[in-house]
Amino acid sequence: FIGSHTVDHLIEQGHDVTVIDIARPKRNDIAWKCVDIRDNELIKNALQANYTYVYMLAACVNVDHVKRVPVYAMEVNLGGLINVLEACVQGNVKRILFSSTVWVYDTCPNTEVSEATPIPIRNPVHIYTASKVSGESLIRSYHHLYGLEYTVFRYGIAYGPRASDEIVLSAFIKRGFKREPLVIYGDGSNYRNFLYVKDHARGNVLALNDVATNQVINFEGPEKVTISDVANTVNELFNNQLDIEYKPTRTADYTGKVVSNEKAYDLLGWRPSVKFRQGAKMHYEWLSRGLVNV
């Protein structure tokens, strides 16, 4: 999802791109190596090609899926990551750019957080969050021991064209098409700062600048959006004809933080450009055209 938009933006900026993935790329004008990152030998061989930068965007990201199959999720999120790190070192890659998440801030006691905020590791978190905190730590270890440069992105929740059916906005819109009720877990007060996917891609490419070397950078959405806000926005897109239902909260769900984007602006001149209501309408229009596989 984020990777395909990053590829588009890289191509637009004139970069030479190779996709390494188990899934075929969304476009046919770039090199593709069909490799599972869980296979150490295959990923090592795939990265022996004088690459300068590697975006590590592969992961199990659906938190419900991670909870159902934690062993598989860790094989991908941590086993796959260490395979890629090892391959980068052996392939003399200059820098790895890693997709983490604002979920890592969930254990912080303060509501307002930035890249300088300490991340407590003794507090309980979702397994997905633990995989990203551990991933960041692994990357710093490889930098310390082997000199591999890095950039860590702490992403806000992505939405927009090509999004998975599993993200909340897609799920709500799909239910709306079928006139099914929108289901909220908890009281609806948990919030995200949703970030339109093209803003992720733009930030990813800006981070190729040397000023982002060995930095952690937040790419967070422009406004606080509660889950109730998401449901109400989708309901408005369907002329307020949908029912909204509330169910018991999910275990270890991300409650939301106020995540600073100041560093992204100071280093890269990056700011989110799409507000949620505008982006939700574009997401709805994309789905309504039936472009699910584009």
Side-chain angles (χ1 to χ4, degrees), residues 252-269:
D253 199 8
Y254 176 60
T255 55
K257 299 287 182 181
V258 179
V259 180
S260 172
N261 279 325
E262 288 184 14
K263 186 175 180 179
Y265 181 73
D266 291 343
L267 282 181
L268 306 174

Side-chain angles (χ1 to χ4, degrees), residues 100-108 119 129 132-133 136 154:
S100 187
T101 173
V102 295
W103 279 51
V104 301
Y105 294 116
D106 199 34
T107 62
C108 299
I119 306 294
T129 309
K132 291 301 185 179
V133 173
E136 290 189 19
R154 289 178 179 164

Side-chain angles (χ1 to χ4, degrees), residues 78-285:
L78 290 179
L81 172 60
I82 202 164
N83 287 342
V84 171
L85 288 168
E86 189 68 14
C88 285
V89 170
Q90 294 187 24
N92 296 311
V93 169
K94 179 180 180 181
R95 178 155 44 114
I96 185 170
L97 300 97
F98 174 66
S99 57
S100 187
T101 173
V102 295
W103 279 51
V104 301
Y105 294 116
D106 199 34
T107 62
C108 299
N110 36 329
T111 301
E112 297 186 4
V113 294
S114 73
E115 296 88 346
T117 303
I119 306 294
I121 62 172
R122 297 183 64 181
N123 298 338
V125 294
H126 198 286
I127 294 171
Y128 168 70
T129 309
S131 76
K132 291 301 185 179
V133 173
S134 301
E136 290 189 19
S137 182
L138 276 173
I139 286 168
R140 290 190 184 91
S141 296
Y142 264 76
H143 172 64
H144 176 68
L145 294 174
Y146 308 111
L148 177 63
E149 295 178 349
Y150 68 87
T151 305
V152 170
F153 306 126
R154 289 178 179 164
Y155 287 148
I157 307 301
Y159 70 103
R162 306 176 192 152
S164 164
D165 290 348
E166 298 170 333
I167 73 164
V168 63
L169 183 59
S170 290
F172 279 0
I173 292 173
K174 288 290 187 73
R175 292 181 74 88
F177 287 142
K178 294 183 282 188
R179 295 301 188 266
E180 295 176 351
L182 310 182
V183 179
I184 294 174
Y185 294 93
D187 63 5
S189 63
N190 284 3
Y191 64 88
R192 313 283 189 264
N193 291 60
F194 290 92
L195 183 63
Y196 195 66
V197 66
K198 293 184 185 297
D199 281 334
H200 289 83
R202 182 167 51 87
N204 287 352
V205 178
L206 285 170
L208 291 177
N209 191 302
D210 287 344
V211 298
T213 301
N214 303 329
Q215 298 289 335
V216 176
I217 303 174
N218 296 330
F219 291 143
E220 177 68 305
E223 58 197 317
K224 182 169 78 172
V225 181
T226 68
I227 302 304
S228 289
D229 291 335
V230 177
N232 290 330
T233 299
V234 170
N235 199 13
E236 289 175 12
L237 291 170
F238 288 93
N239 300 313
N240 295 310
Q241 295 178 354
L242 306 177
D243 294 326
I244 300 176
E245 296 180 358
Y246 290 82
K247 292 188 176 182
T249 189
R250 298 183 299 188
T251 304
D253 199 8
Y254 176 60
T255 55
K257 299 287 182 181
V258 179
V259 180
S260 172
N261 279 325
E262 288 184 14
K263 186 175 180 179
Y265 181 73
D266 291 343
L267 282 181
L268 306 174
W270 180 93
R271 281 189 174 128
S273 63
V274 179
K275 292 292 187 72
F276 180 72
R277 291 177 66 86
Q278 175 193 3
K281 187 172 186 294
M282 292 190 289
H283 192 121
Y284 164 83
E285 290 171 347

Side-chain angles (χ1 to χ4, degrees), residues 35-45 75 79-80 83:
V35 174
D36 189 328
I37 60 170
R38 296 175 299 167
D39 191 311
N40 180 271
E41 286 301 314
L42 287 180
I43 194 66
K44 184 168 60 178
N45 291 336
E75 287 174 350
N83 287 342

Side-chain angles (χ1 to χ4, degrees), residues 26-86:
K26 301 297 183 183
R27 53 194 300 158
N28 297 318
D29 59 345
I30 55 173
W32 170 49
K33 297 180 180 181
C34 183
V35 174
D36 189 328
I37 60 170
R38 296 175 299 167
D39 191 311
N40 180 271
E41 286 301 314
L42 287 180
I43 194 66
K44 184 168 60 178
N45 291 336
L47 287 177
Q48 299 296 312
N50 297 317
Y51 297 117
T52 309
Y53 302 99
V54 169
Y55 286 91
M56 176 53 179
L57 306 178
C60 280
V61 297
N62 181 288
V63 294
D64 292 329
H65 187 211
V66 170
K67 183 181 177 182
R68 286 195 303 271
V69 288
V71 173
Y72 170 78
M74 293 308 100
E75 287 174 350
V76 174
N77 289 14
L78 290 179
L81 172 60
I82 202 164
N83 287 342
V84 171
L85 288 168
E86 189 68 14

